[in-house]
Amino acid sequence: FFLNGKESVSKNCRLCNHHNESQLHLMHCPNLRIIKQFVTQLLQAAGFDPSLIHPELTWLLGMTKAGQLLEPAYHAIIRIHWRHVYAAMVRVKYDGEAFSSARVKSDIARTLLTRILAYQYERRMWFFKRRHSHAGKYRLPDSAARQVQPIGDLRLSDGTLTVKATVIAVIEQQGISCSQLLPSLPPPSTTPQSRPLPLNPGRRNNDVNQNQTHQGNNTCNKHRNNITITNTHNINATSNYVIAARIADQQTRQPRRHMPFQDNG
């Protein structure tokens, strides 16, 4: 944070205007008490025990009372909280706006919802890009499910994230609709798996007769560069034809030489 220090005209806190502004003061600023209660409610809805919250370690360093680091999901919520708190402090200083805890809480809930939607989109696109590939393996790693476990259940087979109802309820308390969240899909056992699409429909006969060889018709399709390499016999025949045509053309252009008359009699 860029706080009011020696270079500032006023060293008072931009939120309460009663104490010197410092990082330690922000941990106990009375104007942030309502916002911290909302963030604590979010953490509790995600499964975090509020008794583990330290008034300074948790909010400033992302650690519990025992000195253990918070899980990525809990740490992300606290970072989103500080981002909007500092944005409000900048508006107070440079735009002259009054600090509004209601606006900060709404911004925190909205940003958390957008981050959840972005994660859902990323995981679903990861699944769809590999579903029709020839790799045949499109299961997400177990670490992805553990990373977002406090927010919801991530289905590793298709990338669907089912957000906890408690988290959705806290977000909707701020007047933000969560209807954009993806609905839960049927389990993979009831979802028919489509076969991988062929890269080129014309290769179906080649796939069936892949053990048969046809002399003079060996082709190798380069799908990325659309380059076709033909059989060497066809290449040699074509080159010989071109050379013969050039020789014949040169002979037709050369003037005829008049041979002297020979009398054999």
Side-chain angles (χ1 to χ4, degrees):
F1 297 135
F2 292 95
L3 306 176
N4 289 335
K6 297 179 180 180
E7 70 282 357
S8 302
V9 177
S10 176
K11 299 181 181 180
N12 292 339
C13 176
R14 284 170 277 182
L15 304 180
C16 65
N17 200 22
H18 294 297
H19 300 83
N20 291 338
E21 188 173 283
S22 63
Q23 293 187 5
L24 185 60
H25 166 70
L26 292 178
M27 303 301 109
H28 306 278
C29 183
N31 285 14
L32 295 179
R33 189 173 302 165
I34 299 177
I35 299 176
K36 287 185 178 180
Q37 291 177 357
F38 171 70
V39 177
T40 302
Q41 190 178 3
L42 272 175
L43 295 174
Q44 188 175 3
F48 186 74
D49 188 4
S51 62
L52 301 177
I53 296 178
H54 189 273
E56 298 173 2
L57 292 178
T58 303
W59 298 104
L60 186 60
L61 302 178
M63 302 173 63
T64 62
K65 287 182 178 180
Q68 297 179 354
L69 293 176
L70 298 179
E71 296 184 14
Y74 302 140
H75 195 215
I77 295 175
I78 295 179
R79 286 178 60 88
I80 293 173
H81 146 260
W82 280 121
R83 180 181 301 175
H84 289 289
V85 167
Y86 187 67
M89 295 172 62
V90 173
R91 289 194 297 266
V92 170
K93 182 176 182 178
Y94 294 100
D95 298 339
E97 296 184 7
F99 179 75
S100 175
S101 58
R103 178 179 177 179
V104 174
K105 291 193 299 182
S106 178
D107 292 342
I108 292 173
R110 185 178 293 105
T111 302
L112 179 60
L113 177 61
T114 56
R115 293 299 87 203
I116 293 175
L117 291 174
Y119 186 85
Q120 280 188 338
Y121 177 80
E122 181 183 358
R123 296 297 90 185
R124 292 292 290 167
M125 290 302 298
W126 191 95
F127 162 73
F128 282 117
K129 287 180 180 179
R130 288 160 177 77
R131 184 177 184 181
H132 298 295
S133 66
H134 289 278
K137 296 181 180 179
Y138 46 82
R139 187 178 184 274
L140 291 166
D142 296 337
S143 58
R146 292 193 301 267
Q147 186 178 15
V148 296
Q149 191 275 332
I151 303 298
D153 297 329
L154 179 64
R155 189 184 297 170
L156 300 179
S157 58
D158 56 11
T160 302
L161 176 62
T162 305
V163 184
K164 292 182 179 179
T166 54
V167 177
I168 294 177
V170 176
I171 294 176
E172 290 182 342
Q173 286 180 2
Q174 303 302 319
I176 300 174
S177 175
C178 296
S179 59
Q180 296 179 349
L181 295 176
L182 292 177
S184 179
L185 298 180
S189 58
T190 61
T191 303
Q193 297 182 358
S194 58
R195 298 177 59 186
L197 297 176
L199 297 178
N200 187 358
R203 293 186 57 188
R204 295 178 180 176
N205 296 332
N206 295 337
D207 295 337
V208 175
N209 303 323
Q210 58 182 352
N211 296 329
Q212 299 179 2
T213 57
H214 300 278
Q215 184 177 3
N217 193 26
N218 296 329
T219 59
C220 177
N221 295 326
K222 300 288 186 178
H223 298 283
R224 293 184 177 180
N225 300 325
N226 295 327
I227 300 175
T228 304
I229 302 177
T230 57
N231 193 349
T232 55
H233 297 285
N234 295 335
I235 296 177
N236 295 333
T238 304
S239 60
N240 293 336
Y241 173 79
V242 173
I243 295 174
R246 291 180 178 178
I247 295 175
D249 182 64
Q250 292 177 359
Q251 292 179 354
T252 55
R253 293 182 180 181
Q254 291 179 357
R256 294 183 178 181
R257 298 180 180 178
H258 298 281
M259 301 298 295
F261 178 76
Q262 296 181 359
D263 189 3
N264 296 327

